[in-house]
Amino acid sequence: MKVSIVQEPPVYLDLERSLERAVSLIGAAAAGGAEMVVFPEVWLPGYPTFVWRLLPGRGMAATDALFRLSQANSVDLSRDGLRPVREAAREHGVVVVIGHQEIDGRFSGSTLFNSCAIIDANGTLLNNHRKLMPTNPERMVWGSGDGQGLRVVPTAVGRVGALICWENYMPLARFTLYAQNLDIYVAPTWDSGPTWLATMQHIAREGGVWVIGCATAIEAADIPADLPHRDEIFPDPGEWINPGDAVVYQPFGGVEAGPMHAEKGLLSAEIDVARARASRRKFDVAGHYARPDIFTLSVNRAAQPPVRFGPDDTGGA
């Protein structure tokens, strides 16, 4: 099975044009023989890197302006906001894993989440996972997710699960995926560099799984000229804001492809899904190497809505 990782930037904070670019990239990957296409963390409509560059107090006005733009360009699943991606997955018969910034269209209509969608080759949205805990200044723009997306789902290419960025440092979250007969572990991120790559290799050995790590490769030159406060946030036009470092690790460790550093394009690899389960003969963290008589884990996967409405007298919800 061939997997292709997208290491191209979106049209930053422009959801409509980023969706068009995503559809085009899915088509290009499929034309190259890919059966699975993976996009990085909040690729739609772009990671809010401004939260790491603006001061919480003095930069409040700039943060507010960029949040409004980000909010207006977020994916609303209650309105089938990933429909173009689902249709592209169905048209080309590929599994798509894509990070997106999700707006809560059902309740507040305002709060944003860092989410990752797994879409099967028939276009069905199989799972949407919201990042459990935004990291440090990310809490200025994102709410915290709940456990309902902590799922491994069967797809046309195998059993797939995903954790986002520093969720991959949460041992219990990882174990939750390992304990669901996982084949392909996807880690969309904004992180990069040697420490992150070491984490990806560790997970491949710990879980006995194929690990796909990817961040958005983006330069300051990719940021639209009309972005509010652009010159203040990205003063160096030649800067690599993120070098990408897309990588594929084999079950039980070892690089299969990448890392792809400071380069744009598609990183592809041929993977044998059956190798994941076979690799766990030596060490199966959720199987023969577990000690349930000593350690237990309870996971609450119930949705946590802010309000529960009962039926009203007029028959409405």
Side-chain angles (χ1 to χ4, degrees):
M1 187 271 289
K2 185 175 183 178
V3 58
S4 289
I5 303 171
V6 171
Q7 188 155 294
E8 293 277 1
V11 182
Y12 194 69
L13 297 191
D14 186 326
L15 179 60
E16 183 176 356
R17 293 170 66 195
S18 293
L19 282 166
E20 292 173 357
R21 182 170 290 183
V23 168
S24 176
L25 288 164
I26 291 168
E35 297 174 62
M36 180 179 186
V37 184
V38 178
F39 289 79
E41 179 179 13
V42 289
W43 196 87
L44 296 170
Y47 181 88
T49 190
F50 55 84
V51 299
W52 296 93
R53 300 184 177 215
L54 293 169
L55 295 175
R58 195 170 65 194
M60 188 69 73
T63 300
D64 286 347
L66 289 162
F67 177 82
R68 285 195 298 272
L69 180 62
S70 186
Q71 188 180 51
N73 285 275
S74 295
V75 172
D76 186 346
L77 291 182
S78 71
R79 299 189 177 193
D80 199 10
L82 289 177
R83 182 176 179 178
V85 179
R86 293 196 307 100
E87 291 177 345
R90 182 173 63 249
E91 177 184 352
H92 297 289
V94 296
V95 173
V96 176
V97 180
I98 188 164
H100 64 102
Q101 185 165 262
E102 179 189 356
I103 190 166
D104 176 10
R106 184 179 177 191
F107 292 105
S108 76
S110 305
T111 292
L112 305 180
F113 296 95
N114 178 344
S115 301
C116 182
I118 301 176
I119 300 169
D120 208 354
N122 62 3
T124 301
L125 176 62
L126 296 178
N127 192 53
N128 185 63
H129 169 59
R130 292 175 171 176
K131 189 175 183 180
L132 299 175
M133 181 55 65
T135 303
N136 207 342
E138 292 176 354
R139 297 170 202 176
M140 296 165 61
V141 295
W142 294 327
S144 298
D146 56 30
Q148 66 175 321
L150 287 173
R151 300 177 188 276
V152 171
V153 291
T155 75
V157 297
R159 295 182 62 80
V160 179
L163 292 178
I164 303 166
C165 203
W166 277 20
E167 284 186 320
N168 292 280
Y169 292 130
M170 299 172 70
L172 301 185
R174 297 198 307 269
F175 188 84
T176 299
L177 296 193
Y178 299 153
Q180 297 178 67
N181 194 8
L182 178 64
D183 296 320
I184 303 170
Y185 182 117
V186 182
T189 186
W190 184 248
D191 211 337
S192 61
T195 302
W196 177 254
L197 294 172
T199 296
M200 296 294 95
Q201 176 153 320
H202 168 82
I203 291 171
R205 175 169 285 259
E206 177 182 69
V209 290
W210 289 96
V211 173
I212 299 171
C214 54
T216 298
I218 186 169
E219 300 173 84
D222 296 314
I223 304 298
D226 60 352
L227 184 81
H229 307 280
R230 180 188 188 279
D231 294 339
E232 172 189 355
I233 301 169
F234 308 106
D236 178 3
E239 177 192 6
W240 271 95
I241 300 169
N242 192 309
D245 283 351
V247 70
V248 178
Y249 279 101
Q250 304 167 8
F252 218 64
V255 176
E256 181 70 20
M260 186 176 178
H261 183 80
E263 182 183 351
K264 295 171 185 171
L266 297 174
L267 178 69
S268 298
E270 299 277 353
I271 68 175
D272 178 0
V273 174
R275 281 182 56 189
R277 299 180 191 184
S279 77
R280 296 196 285 266
R281 178 188 67 80
K282 297 179 286 293
F283 180 88
D284 187 350
V285 69
H288 64 75
Y289 224 92
R291 286 296 304 274
D293 55 324
I294 302 173
F295 308 110
T296 58
L297 173 62
S298 176
V299 180
N300 182 2
R301 294 201 304 195
Q304 302 297 317
V307 61
R308 290 177 171 84
F309 295 102
D312 59 30
D313 292 338
T314 62

